[in-house]
Every structure is written in C-alpha cells, then in structure tokens.
Amino acid sequence: MALGQDLSTTGFTNSKEFPTLDSKTDPASNPDLEAIGEKPKTGYGRSNKMVGPRIAPVLPHLAAYDFGDADSGSDILGKQIELEAGNDIQYKTCSWQKTAALLFSEYICLAIMSFPYSYAVLGLVPGIILTAVVAALVLYTSLVLWEFCLRHPEVRDVCDIGQMLFWGKKWAWYFTAVMFILNNTFIQGLHVLVSAKYLNTITNHSQCTVVFAVIATIICWFCSLPRTFSALSKLGTASAFFTFISVLLAAIFAGIEAHPQGYNPDPNYVNPVTGIPGGEPIVTAIPIKGTTFVAGMNAFLNISYTFIGQITLPSFIAEMKDPRDFPKALWAVTIAEIILFSLVGGIVYGYTGNQYNTSPAFGSLGNEVFKKVSFSFMIPTLIFLGVLYASVSARFVFFRVFEGTRHKTQHTVVGWASWGGILAATWLGAFIIAEVIPFFSDLLSLMSSLFDSFFGFIFWGVAYIRMRRVDGGVNWLHEKSIYGYTMLALNIVIILIGVLFLGAGTYTSVQSIIDSYDQGLVGGIFTCKNNGI
C-alpha cells in the first residue's frame, strides 16, 4: 500500500476540498509549517498526502490550553511546536529513526522465544502463514491509526482516541483508560516476573524469588525516569540490538548442540512426569492429530499478542517532530518482525520438535552454558519493555495533572518528584499484582484477550469507517466504488476479528486457568519457589 496516491489505490481521500498537512505550500509564508519542516516531498507517508477532515472537534479537555482556536491538523501541529519552543523539556523531539528504535524495542522482545511452541502446536506451515497474516493486519490497522492521528494531532494517547471514536462520550474515555492502565500494569508485572525468572536461572536460585522480583522492580523504576521518548529511544536501540543477539544465539545453539533438553533416544519412552514421548525431535508441517481447539487457539493468540502493540502508538506519534514520517518506522519494524519471528521460530522448532520445545525456548537448550549465555543477552529487553509501558502510563497521569504548568516543561523539584512518584506507583502495583495473583500468566492472557480485541482491531475498524464517513458526507455509502466497498468489508472483518479475540480468546484463557488448577500448576502468593528455566 503506497500513500500519496489517489483514493482508488490507497483508501485515503485525496479530495482537494479537505484540509491537509500541507495545505499551504509555501513554508516561508507559514511559520507553523516552516517549524515542522514542511517541504513538497513525495513518497510513502510524505507531506503531499491529503489527510482529510477531522471526525469531531478537539476534545474539551484538550482544547482549553494547548491549541487556542486552531482547528486544522497543520495549525494544531504548528501550534504544539510553537508552544514548546524555549522549554527545558521538549516532548515533540522524536525523529522517525528514534520512533523506529522504540517500535523495535517493543516488538523485538522475549515473546519471540514462544514462537517455536506455537509452531509446534499449529504446525510449521500454518504457523508461518499466520505470522505473516497477523503482521499484515497489524500493519494495516496501525496505518489507519496513524491517519487518525494526523487528522487529530492533539491526541496524546489511545484514551483520547477512544473518546473521539465513540462520539466524544466521557464514558468511552473512562472505559478506555481502565483498559489502558490495567494492560500496561500487567505487562510491567510480567517483566518483573520474567526478570526474576532470569535471575533464578543465572544464579541457580541463590535467593528467594520475591527478593529477585524486588530487585527487578527497583531497577525497572530507575530506568523509567527519562521524561521523553527521545531519551528512551537510546535505551530502546540497545534493547532491540541485544534481543536480536539473544535470539540469534538461541537459534544457533539449538542447531549446534547434540540434543535438546530432556532428550531421550528411545522413541517408545514416555516421560512419567510430563507424558512427553522420546525419540528424535518430531517436526510437522500441519497440526498433529488430537490438537484441541483450546491449544490451537492459545498458540494463535500467542502469535497475535506478540504483534499487537497499537496501544502505545498514539503516544509515540504524539512526540514525533514530523508524524508524517511514522510509516517509515512502522514498515521497518514489520518487515524485521516477519523475517525474525519466522526464522527463529522455525529454526528452533526444527531442532526441538513437538516433544522438547518450551516457552520461552531458552529452556529447550540442553547445554546449560548455551542457555545462560543466550538468555543473558535478553536482559535489556526484560527491563526496557516494562520501562516503555511504565513511561506511557506515567505520561497518561502526569500530563493530565500538570498540563499547562511549568512542572511539565521545566526541571522543577515538584515535576521530577511527581514523575518519579507516579512511576513508583505503577511499578509497585505491577509488583503486587504479579506476586499476589497465583495464576498471573494465565490472567495476563485473559487481560490480553479482553483488551487487545479493542486496541488491536475493533478501535481501528471503527476509526476507518468514521473517517470514510466524514470524507464522503451523508451519501458516502451510495457513492462508494467497488474498491471502497472492499475496504469497508475489510474493516468490518477487522472488527469481527476483534470480537473473535474477545469471545474465543477469553474462553481459551479462562479454560487455561481452570486446567492449571486441575493440574496443580497454580502456585502461591509471594512464593520463594524457583521459577527459573
């Protein structure tokens, strides 16, 4: 899909009557556009793309202090940059390269090492096909989200978008905000637990697991302190780089070691504890006979949740110097995802088979040195991904408390103390949730089913329909072309996929919790039990 073309090829309007980000082509005559580097460039996502009109006025809680009487996208964006000029802390400072670093750090993460398990359940061919399909859907919905943000550059996070999509209703903002905070806090809690898992693995359980969780929480809080995404992008670059090294080493080690963990050469052997048969690793192109709906759905959801991260994108776009460049970052990370996820998942699965793979796949490595070395390179992402979500949540609170005050834009004691305090509250909540809920991992899957159905699919199908509705006026359906109806049908399907996640995903997650209880796999609260791999 190439932006900058007409409606017949992109689905984005090119009507000359609509306001655009480059409605004034002479930068010298428009200081707002000059400030954002307005130039008549061409190409994917560039400034010559017609954006289209707003679906609604600026929300009341955003209009009062940020933008004065500005209404069009270019006026609001220029006003934002003008208001930041001279501030000690400037937020709209991310280039597309820095935004790409944030995206890479969010998506190139530990979840890659669960793909071998998903491929073992689904079969290699369906698994790789679903990887590409889900990546394409997330890419498309992210571009819809981006277009929405271009039309409404004042939105600061997905909560503002949720309110705008549902006709400015305040309940929609609160509904979205609850999902937003819970989703982010649970992801932070997951990274507290996984960091404790790493420390248990590398030290052979030298301390109580709760102690390791406390250490991880403190480190994560400290790394969350930078106030801008531009500053965090440096940590994000390191996180993505070391994650790439980690999964590359894991794939190489899986190939060169003699046998995976738990290997038994006797094909007639059955492990009395796990029920896993022995013999050489079995690799199948399609699901093995007897694969249940719950197992298959869980494997599919596992792939999907790794890609679904649109909840953070409005926050990233809001801090870009030129939001029109966002597709560059998005395309780069999507292409890398498909290649890396498929290769690492397929290679590790090929050497561990259906019998010996674990999630994360580091546990499949039979050589302890290989396991610890490859897992150790994952340290930056174990910390940083939770940091990223903590920063997004802290912005949500901090900006609403201090908007319009010098504490947001200057280095003040109150501003920094409040920022640190808000972050501490999010990490404390994450620690408590992770330690108190004995079936945390299954509950995280349940939360993902409930929230990602909206943030990954439903919101953006609705956003597309609402933008096309305002583009075409009251007769928009009657005037659509075959292509227009096809795109409308696609977005209705996207909404239905979200409903599928909400229904089937919730069912499989609840069933997984029940199965965990039945199998005695549910642990205690604040347990010292070793959770290493």
Side-chain angles (χ1 to χ4, degrees):
M1 183 169 62
L3 300 181
Q5 298 176 4
D6 60 22
L7 179 62
S8 64
T9 57
T10 67
F12 293 139
T13 180
N14 72 336
S15 173
K16 295 181 180 179
E17 68 184 10
F18 295 147
T20 73
L21 282 184
D22 62 339
S23 56
K24 302 178 179 67
T25 57
D26 180 11
S29 66
N30 188 332
D32 287 350
L33 296 183
E34 185 176 21
I36 63 173
E38 185 72 41
K39 295 179 182 179
K41 298 179 180 177
T42 60
Y44 190 89
R46 290 310 310 174
S47 59
N48 66 332
K49 187 184 83 66
M50 297 296 180
V51 175
R54 305 175 58 87
I55 68 167
V58 176
L59 294 172
H61 70 272
L62 295 175
Y65 36 75
D66 271 342
F67 322 114
D69 297 325
D71 186 51
S72 74
S74 58
D75 290 341
I76 291 175
L77 185 59
K79 186 67 173 178
Q80 286 175 321
I81 295 175
E82 178 185 329
L83 289 172
E84 280 203 341
N87 290 342
D88 290 343
I89 302 175
Q90 297 183 8
Y91 293 94
K92 295 190 73 65
T93 53
C94 273
S95 63
W96 75 265
Q97 293 92 339
K98 290 181 178 180
T99 303
L102 295 172
L103 292 179
F104 271 97
S105 66
E106 179 179 4
Y107 289 107
I108 309 300
C109 60
L110 179 64
I112 299 173
M113 299 309 291
S114 64
F115 273 62
Y117 166 78
S118 294
Y119 290 176
V121 174
L122 298 169
L124 188 59
V125 174
I128 291 177
I129 291 174
L130 284 173
T131 298
V133 169
V134 173
L137 284 174
V138 171
L139 171 66
Y140 173 75
T141 54
S142 298
L143 289 172
V144 172
L145 181 161
W146 166 68
E147 184 194 359
F148 190 93
C149 289
L150 287 186
R151 295 186 184 211
H152 313 88
E154 76 282 1
V155 298
R156 296 176 294 194
D157 48 51
V158 75
C159 303
D160 293 337
I161 294 178
Q163 183 175 357
M164 294 194 76
L165 288 179
F166 296 97
W167 296 275
K169 301 299 183 182
K170 199 64 179 178
W171 66 260
W173 186 90
Y174 285 110
F175 176 71
T176 309
V178 169
M179 293 194 296
F180 177 76
I181 293 295
L182 284 177
N183 179 85
N184 294 355
T185 305
F186 268 78
I187 290 176
Q188 290 176 245
L190 174 65
H191 283 264
V192 169
L193 279 187
V194 175
S195 297
K197 182 189 290 286
Y198 165 76
L199 292 172
N200 266 321
T201 301
I202 205 71
T203 65
N204 297 317
H205 190 46
S206 64
Q207 296 290 330
C208 171
T209 297
V210 175
V211 173
F212 285 142
V214 170
I215 293 171
T217 302
I218 293 172
I219 293 173
C220 289
W221 170 80
F222 180 78
C223 293
S224 304
L225 289 175
R227 293 265 287 270
T228 67
F229 283 134
S230 179
L232 282 178
S233 67
K234 299 178 178 64
L235 295 176
T237 301
S239 171
F241 173 75
F242 281 104
T243 302
F244 174 75
I245 297 298
S246 176
V247 299
L248 184 63
L249 287 175
I252 293 172
F253 290 157
I256 66 176
E257 70 176 1
H259 302 293
Q261 179 72 25
Y263 172 78
N264 189 299
D266 183 3
N268 298 315
Y269 170 80
V270 177
N271 188 306
V273 177
T274 63
I276 295 175
E280 294 301 313
I282 300 172
V283 179
T284 56
I286 59 176
I288 61 174
K289 185 178 180 180
T291 300
T292 65
F293 171 78
V294 171
M297 192 66 186
N298 269 329
F300 167 66
L301 292 174
N302 180 70
I303 292 174
S304 301
Y305 295 151
T306 306
F307 284 101
I308 297 172
Q310 295 98 313
I311 189 173
T312 63
L313 300 191
S315 301
F316 295 164
I317 295 171
E319 293 198 15
M320 290 188 71
K321 289 186 291 188
D322 189 348
R324 296 161 301 177
D325 282 337
F326 178 72
K328 295 178 182 179
L330 185 63
W331 271 104
V333 74
T334 301
I335 292 170
E337 282 177 318
I338 295 173
I339 295 172
L340 190 61
F341 292 5
S342 300
L343 283 178
V344 172
I347 291 171
V348 175
Y349 170 52
Y351 285 103
T352 58
N354 295 332
Q355 312 104 297
Y356 307 115
N357 72 77
T358 61
S359 181
F362 297 114
S364 301
L365 299 176
N367 185 302
E368 281 296 312
V369 175
F370 288 173
K371 178 192 301 181
K372 290 180 179 180
V373 168
S374 57
F375 200 4
S376 292
F377 276 94
M378 193 64 71
I379 294 174
T381 198
L382 296 182
I383 297 171
F384 183 77
L385 189 53
V387 164
L388 193 61
Y389 278 87
S391 185
V392 170
S393 292
R395 275 168 170 67
F396 171 78
V397 177
F398 186 83
F399 286 179
R400 282 160 178 77
V401 173
F402 293 106
E403 189 64 67
T405 73
R406 66 190 183 93
H407 304 301
K408 177 187 173 185
T409 58
Q410 308 295 328
H411 294 293
T412 66
V413 174
V414 171
W416 277 105
S418 300
W419 176 255
I422 294 168
L423 285 169
T426 68
W427 282 113
L428 179 62
F431 169 79
I432 292 173
I433 289 173
E435 291 295 326
V436 166
I437 300 174
F439 50 92
F440 177 79
S441 294
D442 287 328
L443 185 61
L444 180 64
S445 296
L446 177 61
M447 295 296 100
S448 296
S449 298
L450 294 173
F451 303 154
D452 286 351
S453 57
F454 291 96
F455 296 137
F457 299 102
I458 294 174
F459 271 22
W460 318 123
V462 172
Y464 177 88
I465 292 172
R466 291 215 59 196
M467 287 190 292
R468 297 293 84 79
R469 165 67 177 79
V470 75
D471 288 346
V474 293
N475 296 318
W476 71 290
L477 275 178
H478 300 291
E479 297 173 357
K480 276 194 171 294
S481 63
I482 294 176
Y483 174 79
Y485 280 113
T486 301
M487 295 303 296
L488 176 61
L490 171 62
N491 283 272
I492 292 174
V493 169
I494 286 172
I495 293 173
L496 294 177
I497 291 174
V499 174
L500 172 66
F501 270 69
L502 186 61
T506 301
Y507 165 75
T508 55
S509 299
V510 170
Q511 187 60 50
S512 181
I513 294 173
I514 295 172
D515 292 343
S516 294
Y517 269 104
D518 291 343
Q519 297 168 17
L521 300 178
V522 177
I525 66 173
F526 291 103
T527 178
C528 281
K529 183 180 178 181
N530 184 8
N531 68 346
I533 61 176

